[in-house]
Amino acid sequence: MHCFCGSKKEYQECCGAIIEGKREAKTPEELMRSRYSAYVKGDGKYLVLSAAKENRYAEDIELIEEFSNSVEWLGLDVLYAKDNIVAFKAFYKDIEGIKVLHEESKFVQEDGLWRYKDGILYNTKVQRNDACPCGSGKKYKKCCG
C-alpha cells in the first residue's frame, strides 16, 4: 500500500516506520508527512507524542481521533519545506463537503528529535478551477464543487 502522505513509497517504508517508532523522522518534512498519515489513520497518540513537550496534552488524543475518524482524508500537498518550516495543504471531506487545512508549520528539535511546535493556519478554500482533491482529474467546479 502506498503511503498516505503522497510520497509514492510503501507505507511501512515511509510514514508507517516513523509512526510505529521503528525510526525517527530525519527532517521536519518527514515529521509533517508522518503526522498527516497519523491523521488519516486516526492515531491521536502519535500526534500528541510528536508534538513539542510544551504542547503535549493527553486529553487531546481523544479529540484528535474523533476529528480524524469523522472525515475522509483526500490528500496532502507539500507547498515548501525550508529549514524548520513546512507549508502544506491537507484536503479532507466532511458532511459539508471538501475542505482544506492550509498551514505553515514550525518544527523544533528536542533531544535531537524533530517535533511539531506550532503553525499558522490560513483561511483557504478549494477554488472552482483547482484540480478536484478527490483525485478525479477534473476541475473542482465540474466534480465535487
Side-chain angles (χ1 to χ4, degrees):
M1 168 178 78
H2 283 223
C3 194
F4 304 109
C5 79
S7 69
K8 301 209 185 335
K9 296 177 186 174
E10 290 297 311
Y11 174 74
Q12 288 300 325
E13 302 300 314
C14 192
C15 295
I18 297 169
I19 292 168
E20 294 167 12
K22 294 177 182 171
R23 72 175 185 87
E24 292 293 332
K26 296 175 188 140
T27 65
E29 183 178 347
E30 267 194 346
L31 183 61
M32 187 279 307
R33 287 178 177 277
S34 72
R35 287 175 56 83
Y36 171 80
S37 290
Y39 271 105
V40 173
K41 294 191 65 71
D43 190 337
K45 185 175 178 184
Y46 174 77
L47 289 159
V48 168
L49 291 175
S50 64
K53 290 176 187 172
E54 66 194 54
N55 296 325
R56 286 186 198 154
Y57 303 101
E59 57 271 17
D60 288 349
I61 294 172
E62 189 176 329
L63 294 171
I64 291 167
E65 290 175 352
E66 191 176 300
F67 168 71
S68 294
N69 293 320
S70 72
V71 302
E72 177 187 353
W73 293 95
L74 301 173
L76 175 69
D77 184 11
V78 177
L79 305 174
Y80 64 86
K82 184 173 183 200
D83 300 322
N84 68 327
I85 305 289
V86 180
F88 67 91
K89 291 181 179 179
F91 299 93
Y92 64 93
K93 187 175 186 177
D94 66 10
I95 58 171
E96 297 173 3
I98 294 179
K99 296 186 178 168
V100 60
L101 172 66
H102 181 183
E103 182 174 320
E104 186 177 82
S105 299
K106 184 176 181 183
F107 297 85
V108 294
Q109 281 196 309
E110 291 180 343
D111 303 321
L113 304 174
W114 285 108
R115 297 291 180 239
Y116 172 77
K117 169 92 169 135
D118 56 28
I120 300 168
L121 285 173
Y122 295 97
N123 188 14
T124 303
K125 295 181 179 169
V126 180
Q127 300 298 312
R128 292 172 35 84
N129 289 320
D130 289 347
C132 193
C134 78
S136 68
K138 298 177 183 177
K139 289 188 177 190
Y140 181 64
K141 67 183 176 187
K142 298 274 187 182
C143 191
C144 296

